[in-house]
Amino acid sequence: MTFNSMLDSIQTYEAGKPIDLVVREFGIAENEVVKLASNENPLGASPKAIEAIITNACNAHLYPDDSMFALKEALGKHYGVQSNEIIIGSGSDQIIEFCIHAKANPKSKILMARTTFAMYEVYTKAVGAQVVRTPSHEHNLQEFLSAYQTHKPDIVFLCVPNNPLGECLESKEVFELLKQIDSNCLVVIDGAYQEFAKAKDSNKAICPKNLTEMFPNAIYLGTFSKAYGLGGMRVGYGIAKQEIIQSLLKLRPP
């Protein structure tokens, strides 16, 4: 059977192995395994979240509200944005995929740091687009600007803080770069670890409302998987102007 040729250039993404798999594979006692590969919150989920899951477990046979009304209303209130400026995904990974499928094609170029979240490259290659990386492993904004001016990418990914390296741009640095990017280029601000960054240094905090009001071509990504310890629930979200959200919603499965 023949499949799309662009799949030949994609290396299968391998997530961190579950502890029970390591136990079976290597014969190690479960209490001797320390898993760091997936950045899972060692404190686990909030007792309130666990209580809510237990309370609603009896509804597991029902399809959820596809509009995600309650969650979008709560996120909108939290961030000071309208619910129609929010999209919910199966983790923020799915929003990344939506962004690439909505904007890129085989003629596109997509810009990212040399070392950053692996799924940017996987989804880019899946649509046949070209990956453009900066020379430095970390986010060097001068290199980003130079690569942007040279390649004119359709999408720019900024991972703030960067996964897996942990370095983090200050918000003013991010905004200065965005001022020099054309409004037709989609800028994805991946804030999966933003809660950790802003707790340590307020200069690194990116406010989604300020971001999208100043730059209508930007989308902010967040997740409940990391700081909130809900990786197993697979709940992520994107915040952007309604024009972007409406385009991405067309790709969201029922």
Side-chain angles (χ1 to χ4, degrees), residues 31-32 38 50 61 64 93 96 102 106 121 138 159 162 196 215 227 253:
N31 61 0
E32 295 181 357
S38 299
I50 294 172
H61 65 293
D93 286 28
I96 294 169
E121 178 178 355
E138 299 183 348
C159 194
N162 189 15
F196 299 105
F215 306 102

Side-chain angles (χ1 to χ4, degrees), residues 84 241-251:
N84 61 12
K241 286 302 182 183
Q242 190 175 2
E243 178 186 8
I244 294 177
I245 297 300
Q246 289 300 315
S247 295
L248 300 186
L249 282 172
K250 295 176 182 179
L251 297 165

